[in-house]
Amino acid sequence: MTEKILEFPEPAIRSEPMLLNLGPQHPATHGVLRLICELDGETVLKVTPDIGFLHSSFEKLGEYRTWNQIVPLTDRMDYLAPLIYNCVYVMAVEKLMGLEVTERCKVARVLCMEMDRIFSHLLWLGTTAIDVGAFTPFLYAFQERERIYDLHEAYTGARITTSATRVGGMMADFPDGWTDSLRDFVKTLPKTLDEIESLLTTNGIHLGRTLDIGVISGEDAINCGFTGPNLRASGVDYDLRKDNPYYDYETYDFDVPIGENGDCYDRYLVRMEEMRQSLRILDQALDRLPDGPINVADPRVSLPSKTDCMNDMESMIHHFKLITEGILVPAGDCYFAVEGSKGELGMYVVSDGGEKPVRWRIRPPSFVNLSVIAKLAEGHLVSDLIMINASLDIVLGEIDR
Amino acid sequence: MVDESGSAFDAVEQGPKASGDPTGTPRDSDGDPSGHPTVTALQSWFGSTVLHHEVQAGDQHVVFVDAARNREVLKWLRDDPEQRYDLLADVTAVDYGGGKPIQIVYQLWSVGHKRALRVKCELPLDGLTIDSVVQLWSTANWLEREVYDLFGVEFTGHPDLRRILMPQNYAEGHPLRKDFPLRGRFSRAEQTRRALSQDYHDDYTPESLEVGGAPGLAPPEPNRSTETAEDKP
């Protein structure tokens, strides 16, 4: 029987490679991303990403703004985790100034960053589930994201463009009852995560779409510049919170999940576990949130109190100078990186001692992660390309900057 | 804020002022190399190729390297078992303006040794060419393209040196250079005209164009003679 099938004559058709444009306006590219695919039938021969559709030249704009005026630019890059970007920028400037923020501020920023890690991972989870055809997890994830939006709004007044940090502290302290709302969120999110996991982790369709898709070895992943959950899924134990700790992360009790195979499924597992670990950090940070001022009492960066301004001339002049000139950052350069939701998020600031930066550079994790897609997608089907693209967790606002 | 030199929009029209001392890029005095094991090893291994070392922001070690030998030094940093800087976190450039050399900045991280190092090379404005490090780290591919796009630095040996963030037909120069005005060099009308006349085929590589049957040209004629021969009863 088998032999008979083999003897069947080859049909007289000729296959030719074909060019397919995916995007820039396509929901499965998760933003304004254009993928130029060379296909043989449904097999991807080569992918060439074309980016830059959202380019706004934030780095150039930053050179015309005072140090604190740059904060609103940072959250417009990664609108899926705005607070992490707000925090890391001011952390870089503070490091360059040699400024130590208050204990309350440190814990507050840890709260902000871990909350937004979950915020970003939830969006990734929902949209990735949609890409493999699962609609329910999307609704569950976005319901939980809505609660973080509410927390953003209660704290900063904005849902996405938070702009919550200032050099030397935060724009304000947490409002009354805010930490209770966050604690309530921390308590109830695991239940939703369990529900989503029960829908996806052992789901046959999900397994079929993700297992052994887009595999990259640990060594290659480092060479390609992978960082964050993508790198850890390939089995490399590299997390800046552990390896180059900032803000006392070494004193928090949490684990760094590591994958084995470096495929889409491991990237899914790593992110799911990371959310639970972030909840553990949030829980501990809420417990240890100390009282005291949230802004540092350093005349270089902080404004004098309103009463002082009204009562003595020097405070009034100081207030005026800080507002009109902006803060002055000593000459030098500083690269500061944190573990962002998408990978190593670094800010490189160069100052000449003036009120504006000479250069402000973002080390973009999504940009570097996306550059690997050509290597990952080669030889897979077009539908796998969609899955690989989703599993990288990119945000185009930050890729194009 | 009123500037004595003229309108407050001058900076927007002409680009930001050059920074610091006009004679050279701002450079701190030599830092203490003993604080970082790699720096001492680099100095003894490469001698005068290591031009300068400084410590920035308290604990960040910066090494200035002769731009002509950047690939050699970086390859040693990546491969030497004592160093093993296997993660190239970032490649970027800094322009201080005022005719000062452009700095190429490599941020290195060693995953095994948990150490960071910043390597800088300085390029004079009339010789913006440096060896590419794509052969050492694939990360450098897009990062170097970005530096080429925004600063105009040529990377020799780069496999695909095209613009990446700006459109392929962008003719106003390199936006992150200090002499580039914030609003661009062309008038609004000209910018709009160019944006509308963009040819999206410019983004295809020559190989892709071949695969796609060269878009813009007529598709290849189907071979009618064989079809008709079979179709005939």
Side-chain angles (χ1 to χ4, degrees):
Chain A
M1 185 72 185
T2 330
E3 277 167 25
K4 218 169 192 180
I5 289 174
L6 285 176
E7 278 166 19
F8 229 77
E10 280 277 308
I13 54 166
R14 198 159 49 94
S15 93
E16 269 182 0
M18 145 185 147
L19 204 59
L20 177 77
N21 252 304
L22 193 66
Q25 306 293 345
H26 192 286
T29 55
H30 294 219
V32 198
L33 166 68
R34 175 178 174 216
L35 296 169
I36 301 166
C37 314
E38 290 171 29
L39 305 178
D40 178 15
E42 268 209 72
T43 311
V44 176
L45 298 176
K46 192 178 167 206
V47 184
T48 317
D50 177 20
I51 59 171
F53 294 94
L54 284 179
H55 182 56
S56 349
S57 210
F58 286 133
E59 291 172 7
K60 182 82 175 175
L61 288 172
E63 291 172 15
Y64 291 79
R65 276 159 174 69
T66 61
W67 294 93
N68 266 328
Q69 284 173 342
I70 290 177
V71 173
L73 294 179
T74 58
D75 46 46
R76 278 151 179 86
M77 274 183 286
D78 187 350
Y79 33 80
L80 311 178
L83 284 172
I84 303 185
Y85 280 65
N86 290 162
C87 287
V88 62
Y89 165 69
V90 292
M91 284 156 90
V93 178
E94 283 157 6
K95 169 113 179 146
L96 185 53
M97 295 181 78
L99 196 70
E100 185 82 9
V101 293
T102 61
E103 283 303 310
R104 183 173 172 85
C105 181
K106 278 186 187 174
V107 181
R109 284 185 186 168
V110 168
L111 283 175
C112 287
M113 287 194 282
E114 294 305 322
M115 182 174 79
D116 271 27
R117 190 185 317 282
I118 297 173
F119 188 54
S120 167
H121 282 3
L122 279 174
L123 180 122
W124 161 83
L125 178 61
T127 52
T128 308
I130 279 220
D131 282 348
V132 294
F135 196 70
T136 316
F138 171 79
L139 297 175
Y140 286 3
F142 270 64
Q143 216 167 8
E144 294 297 332
R145 277 193 99 234
E146 192 60 31
R147 298 171 67 196
I148 302 191
Y149 272 135
D150 289 344
L151 286 167
H152 278 173
E153 197 177 358
Y155 177 32
T156 70
R159 286 156 61 84
I160 302 175
T161 51
T162 49
S163 308
T165 57
R166 298 291 181 271
V167 177
M170 308 295 276
M171 57 131 205
D173 209 332
F174 295 132
D176 287 343
W178 189 83
T179 46
D180 297 332
S181 317
L182 180 58
R183 200 181 279 281
D184 183 46
F185 172 78
V186 171
K187 279 208 185 89
T188 47
L189 181 67
K191 189 164 168 284
T192 315
L193 287 182
D194 288 342
E195 280 174 356
I196 296 177
E197 277 212 90
S198 70
L199 287 171
L200 287 178
T201 305
T202 51
N203 181 320
I205 300 173
H206 184 242
L207 286 172
R209 290 293 301 273
T210 54
L211 271 178
D212 289 330
I213 302 295
V215 182
I216 187 164
S217 73
E219 204 175 313
D220 283 352
I222 294 178
N223 192 273
C224 292
F226 257 8
T227 42
N230 292 332
L231 178 63
R232 290 191 284 276
S234 293
V236 180
D237 185 3
Y238 172 54
D239 187 320
L240 280 165
R241 291 173 295 176
K242 292 272 189 196
D243 291 337
N244 196 7
Y246 46 91
Y247 284 1
D248 308 326
Y249 262 110
E250 66 273 25
T251 60
Y252 291 91
D253 181 24
F254 70 103
D255 301 320
V256 178
I258 308 288
E260 280 174 4
N261 307 319
D263 57 4
C264 291
Y265 186 63
D266 278 14
R267 293 197 267 278
Y268 157 80
L269 288 181
V270 164
R271 288 206 179 85
M272 289 305 282
E273 186 55 32
E274 250 183 35
M275 278 192 267
R276 293 178 193 276
Q277 297 301 330
S278 286
L279 288 176
R280 278 176 73 186
I281 299 174
L282 280 176
D283 202 31
Q284 295 165 47
L286 281 169
D287 284 343
R288 67 165 79 166
L289 185 67
D291 290 334
I294 199 155
N295 288 336
V296 71
D298 189 319
R300 288 181 297 168
V301 293
S302 46
L303 296 173
S305 75
K306 201 72 192 165
T307 326
D308 285 351
C309 286
M310 291 302 171
N311 287 325
D312 89 87
M313 193 61 187
E314 280 69 34
S315 301
M316 183 65 159
I317 293 171
H318 181 208
H319 190 286
F320 182 77
K321 294 277 273 184
L322 268 184
I323 292 293
T324 54
E325 279 183 356
I327 57 173
L328 299 177
V329 174
D333 59 349
C334 170
Y335 176 75
F336 189 86
V338 301
E339 188 66 36
S341 59
K342 295 170 180 67
E344 174 175 341
L345 170 62
M347 291 277 172
Y348 179 56
V349 285
V350 183
S351 171
D352 61 348
E355 71 273 21
K356 292 172 185 168
V358 173
R359 175 99 169 92
W360 163 54
R361 153 84 180 163
I362 308 100
R363 189 268 174 196
S366 297
F367 178 85
V368 178
N369 289 348
L370 178 68
S371 69
V372 192
I373 195 169
K375 189 183 165 73
L376 292 179
E378 218 176 270
H380 284 298
L381 301 180
V382 182
S383 53
D384 295 335
L385 171 66
I386 301 298
M387 187 59 224
I388 291 167
N389 183 40
S391 79
L392 292 180
D393 190 17
I394 53 169
V395 54
L396 269 295
E398 177 239 81
I399 290 172
D400 295 342
R401 276 161 292 141
Chain B
M1 221 190 310
V2 182
D3 193 358
E4 63 272 16
S5 61
S7 147
F9 288 109
D10 277 0
V12 178
E13 299 295 343
Q14 293 155 10
K17 277 184 298 187
S19 61
D21 159 30
T23 50
T25 42
R27 179 172 284 191
D28 286 8
S29 55
D30 272 5
D32 176 17
S34 58
H36 199 293
T38 309
V39 178
T40 40
L42 255 181
Q43 281 171 338
S44 63
W45 198 271
F46 285 97
S48 62
T49 306
V50 181
L51 304 172
H52 174 70
H53 162 254
E54 65 191 30
V55 181
Q56 289 286 359
D59 56 355
Q60 302 189 347
H61 289 257
V62 188
V63 179
F64 284 72
V65 170
D66 184 3
R69 295 181 69 189
N70 72 321
R71 193 187 287 166
E72 204 183 324
V73 173
L74 288 167
K75 184 169 168 36
W76 181 80
L77 284 171
R78 187 194 68 162
D79 293 339
D80 188 77
E82 291 297 307
Q83 318 306 336
R84 293 291 294 155
Y85 288 91
D86 41 8
L87 181 70
L88 177 67
D90 198 10
V91 180
T92 186
V94 183
D95 183 6
Y96 285 89
K100 278 172 267 183
I102 285 187
Q103 291 182 348
I104 306 291
V105 187
Y106 300 92
Q107 315 276 6
L108 303 178
W109 175 263
S110 165
V111 174
H113 296 296
K114 299 185 184 177
R115 272 204 297 261
L117 183 69
R118 179 146 73 243
V119 177
K120 285 189 179 184
C121 297
E122 290 190 324
L123 300 174
L125 285 177
D126 54 358
L128 288 177
T129 313
I130 192 166
D131 277 345
S132 161
V133 293
V134 177
Q135 288 80 3
L136 304 178
W137 292 279
S138 341
T139 333
N141 191 328
W142 278 27
L143 292 169
E144 287 183 347
R145 270 178 75 186
E146 192 185 329
V147 173
Y148 164 75
D149 188 0
L150 303 179
F151 286 91
V153 177
E154 300 270 347
F155 290 89
T156 44
H158 191 289
D160 182 28
L161 200 61
R162 292 180 293 134
R163 284 193 183 271
I164 186 164
L165 292 176
M166 307 306 286
Q168 299 297 333
N169 73 343
Y170 192 72
E172 296 180 60
H174 303 284
L176 277 181
R177 294 267 279 273
K178 286 285 178 198
D179 56 3
F180 187 93
L182 186 61
R183 289 174 178 169
R185 291 187 202 282
F186 296 164
S187 68
R188 263 305 138 123
E190 174 65 10
Q191 284 172 347
T192 312
R193 197 189 64 72
R194 293 188 76 91
L196 292 176
S197 67
Q198 261 186 60
D199 186 356
Y200 286 97
H201 296 152
D202 291 349
D203 292 309
Y204 295 109
T205 57
E207 302 86 66
S208 297
L209 281 176
E210 211 165 289
V211 166
L217 307 173
E221 286 290 314
N223 197 342
R224 295 202 179 277
S225 57
T226 50
E227 281 172 28
T228 44
E230 280 170 19
D231 287 353
K232 268 180 188 165

